[in-house]
Amino acid sequence: MADSAELLSLLVVVEFVVMAAIVALLVPLDAAIPFLPLALVFLVVLYLYRS
């Protein structure tokens, strides 16, 4: 079982990825560009964590 600090970190990463996806869908692409690289990094981290 993961400890509470690890679960909190995972929750923050998932929240950021979801919010970045929503921002990318709702705002013009030029405004969402700064969020996308970090969201991609976090997606890779989530993938590696799950595997």
Side-chain angles (χ1 to χ4, degrees):
M1 183 75 182
D3 61 350
S4 61
E6 186 175 329
L7 289 176
L8 182 63
S9 299
L10 182 64
L11 179 65
V12 169
V13 168
V14 169
E15 179 186 3
F16 182 84
V17 169
V18 169
M19 291 304 295
I22 291 171
V23 166
L25 291 174
L26 294 179
V27 300
L29 189 60
D30 59 339
I33 289 289
F35 296 107
L36 297 181
L38 189 56
L40 290 175
V41 169
F42 281 162
L43 278 174
V44 170
V45 168
L46 286 173
Y47 177 77
L48 293 175
Y49 178 77
R50 294 279 305 180
S51 58

